[in-house]
Amino acid sequence: MNYNVSDHFSYNFELNLNKVPAKQADRIALKILFPGILAALFLIIIGCYELLLGSRPDEGSDIAEKVPFWFNLTFFDILIIFLGVWIIIKLLLTYFHYKKVFFDGKKITLIYRTPSGAKKTVKESIKKYLGVNFRVEFFQYGFITKNKYIIELYHQDPEKIAPLYISTSGHNIRKIWADYARKLHLDQLMLTDDGLIIRANKDIGKSLETLYQEKIIKDTFNFKKPLPSSIAWTRKKDKSIIKSRKIRWDAYNFMVCFGIFLTLSTLAVNVRFLVQSTATALFSLALLLFTVLLACRLFTKDKIVIKPNKVIIIHKTFFFSRKKYELMKDEIEAVDVAFSPVSERNFLAIIGGEKTLVFGKKLPAKDLDWIREFLIHDIVKK
């Protein structure tokens, strides 16, 4: 399904409607730009050092004969340098590509600026917006996947979609979403695999149980419906547990694997230089620990634990489990199979109170729909 979506550049954005006229710039923050450039420069320095001064096995030596022909150290050094240069160029282009958002109480004005300095202005009356949309966008923060929570004014024209609030923290996001909808006198929207879900302004703040009692939502779960093959469902006396049967791989997983391989290969080839000084030893240890951390994240799976009064998201890595988020059932206001247009992934969004729980980023939409129906049934049943 095709959706209208606009690129937002900031990771920390808020259009303050308590002071109208309001204005805010949507661009990448300097606290993101500078560390990214420093990390890229570090990659370039390492690549240049290894290329010019790094050790190479002598021709005809036993080590040279054991190293596969495809393992070319010069190629990897150049690749690291290229990656650093590409990151710097990408960050600089992003910083000079931004938009400014203005609201005067009646209309939204968007001023787009490109790296070349070109400027474009778009205006629209607040009455012509369909509603206040909430979505979660997944993005790469280095080798780490993070969530970006976005609240925006939704319009059928992507150029007129205006950000209202953007954060990498989901804390209190439900209340913030509701506050924007009330202040602008618009309905709440969410993108799903079936299209836009609209919650009328009068229903904002109502719990799932209240919406069920008022017959606004229905309990459609059927125990005779087959369990999706991608998930496992365990029922115990005091809880139910739902989890993915396996780790589902995508381009991100392969990118992390390549990074781990590259790091371990560099450490292995230069093993005799790693303990020449305290500084190199500590750096090598830190690099190894970071690699282990990436490997752990790579093999981490989420599961939902449904207890009589709350829903919990658990992160499980190998034999270790830790509670990530929890939400009381009487606080839950929506359970939807949401859709992220940027990553083109479906996921389960459990919204209520001050939190938004995200589960199943890589599961098929039809399997997430089974989980959604089961959760709604478990919450509203008497």
Side-chain angles (χ1 to χ4, degrees):
M1 174 174 270
N2 293 324
Y3 294 97
N4 296 325
V5 63
S6 178
D7 289 332
H8 302 311
F9 311 108
S10 178
Y11 298 101
N12 185 20
F13 177 95
E14 182 177 4
L15 189 66
N16 187 2
L17 299 186
N18 293 324
K19 297 179 180 179
V20 177
K23 63 179 181 178
Q24 187 62 271
D26 175 26
R27 72 191 307 174
I28 187 172
L30 291 175
K31 66 179 181 179
I32 300 293
L33 181 72
F34 287 149
I37 291 177
L38 289 176
L41 288 173
F42 182 69
L43 286 177
I44 294 172
I45 291 170
I46 289 181
C48 291
Y49 174 82
E50 287 293 329
L51 183 64
L52 301 175
L53 303 174
S55 62
R56 298 287 191 276
D58 297 329
E59 289 189 25
S61 65
D62 293 337
I63 297 178
E65 292 179 358
K66 292 179 180 179
V67 175
F69 71 92
W70 47 266
F71 189 81
N72 189 305
L73 293 178
T74 301
F75 168 76
F76 283 113
D77 294 338
I78 294 174
L79 186 63
I80 291 175
I81 296 170
F82 174 80
L83 179 62
V85 172
W86 179 83
I87 291 173
I88 291 175
I89 294 174
K90 181 70 174 178
L91 286 172
L92 291 176
L93 288 176
T94 302
Y95 183 74
F96 291 106
H97 187 196
Y98 63 93
K99 61 177 173 283
K100 292 183 178 179
V101 184
F102 298 86
F103 178 59
D104 62 4
K106 294 183 179 181
K107 66 177 181 296
I108 289 286
T109 301
L110 298 167
I111 300 176
Y112 291 88
R113 293 183 182 273
T114 65
S116 63
K119 183 174 71 172
K120 182 178 182 179
T121 301
V122 178
K123 296 182 179 181
E124 184 62 285
S125 169
I126 193 69
K127 295 180 180 179
K128 294 186 179 181
Y129 282 91
L130 298 181
V132 178
N133 182 46
F134 169 66
R135 62 185 174 94
V136 181
E137 184 178 304
F138 311 120
F139 70 98
Q140 293 300 134
Y141 192 76
F143 286 108
I144 300 174
T145 302
K146 297 193 72 173
N147 298 337
K148 185 159 70 169
Y149 301 90
I150 300 172
I151 298 171
E152 60 192 1
L153 278 168
Y154 190 79
H155 198 282
Q156 291 183 345
D157 183 351
E159 287 191 338
K160 295 179 180 179
I161 294 175
L164 297 171
Y165 182 87
I166 303 172
S167 176
T168 55
S169 170
H171 178 71
N172 218 21
I173 195 71
R174 180 68 184 87
K175 182 179 181 301
I176 295 170
W177 182 21
D179 286 345
Y180 275 112
R182 289 193 184 99
K183 289 176 181 177
L184 295 170
H185 304 290
L186 294 171
D187 295 334
Q188 289 180 306
L189 308 177
M190 176 176 281
L191 294 175
T192 72
D193 192 57
D194 297 322
L196 277 173
I197 288 180
I198 301 176
R199 175 174 285 192
N201 196 278
K202 63 182 179 65
D203 295 326
I204 293 175
K206 294 181 180 179
S207 69
L208 206 63
E209 294 177 347
T210 301
L211 294 173
Y212 175 73
Q213 292 170 2
E214 295 180 358
K215 298 182 179 180
I216 296 173
I217 64 168
K218 297 180 180 180
D219 178 9
T220 58
F221 183 73
N222 184 357
F223 279 96
K224 296 181 180 180
K225 189 175 181 180
L227 179 70
S229 59
S230 67
I231 62 174
W233 174 28
T234 304
R235 286 176 286 182
K236 298 183 179 181
K237 184 178 180 180
D238 62 336
K239 62 185 176 183
S240 291
I241 301 173
I242 297 175
K243 61 183 179 181
S244 176
R245 291 187 180 274
K246 61 182 181 180
I247 295 175
R248 306 177 75 88
W249 289 71
D250 60 6
Y252 161 71
N253 298 88
F254 290 108
M255 183 184 73
V256 173
C257 284
F258 177 75
I260 292 173
F261 169 77
L262 190 62
T263 303
L264 293 179
S265 300
T266 303
L267 290 174
V269 170
N270 295 279
V271 65
R272 60 175 176 164
F273 299 102
L274 300 183
V275 292
Q276 282 187 340
S277 67
T278 303
T280 56
L282 290 175
F283 174 75
S284 302
L285 179 60
L287 199 58
L288 184 60
L289 290 176
F290 179 70
T291 304
V292 172
L293 175 63
L294 288 180
C296 289
R297 291 185 65 91
L298 195 63
F299 292 97
T300 294
K301 293 196 298 184
D302 291 348
K303 61 181 179 181
I304 300 179
V305 177
I306 307 162
K307 293 191 173 184
N309 62 337
K310 60 185 175 182
V311 176
I312 307 170
I313 299 293
I314 301 289
H315 284 354
K316 184 175 181 180
T317 305
F318 301 117
F319 301 104
F320 304 97
S321 297
R322 63 185 179 93
K323 180 171 69 176
K324 184 65 175 177
Y325 301 108
E326 69 176 27
L327 192 56
M328 304 304 293
K329 285 184 176 179
D330 58 5
E331 295 179 344
I332 296 176
E333 300 176 22
V335 180
D336 292 306
V337 178
F339 179 76
S340 175
V342 175
S343 61
E344 296 187 345
R345 287 182 182 176
N346 295 284
F347 61 95
L348 191 72
I350 307 169
I351 305 170
E354 298 179 351
K355 302 173 184 175
T356 295
L357 276 55
V358 173
F359 176 79
K361 296 177 184 177
K362 301 177 186 178
L363 291 175
K366 59 182 181 60
D367 297 355
L368 290 171
D369 196 57
W370 186 96
I371 302 174
R372 180 189 67 83
E373 291 182 351
F374 174 78
L375 271 174
I376 291 175
H377 169 77
D378 189 87
I379 292 169
V380 304
K381 69 182 181 181
K382 299 296 182 183

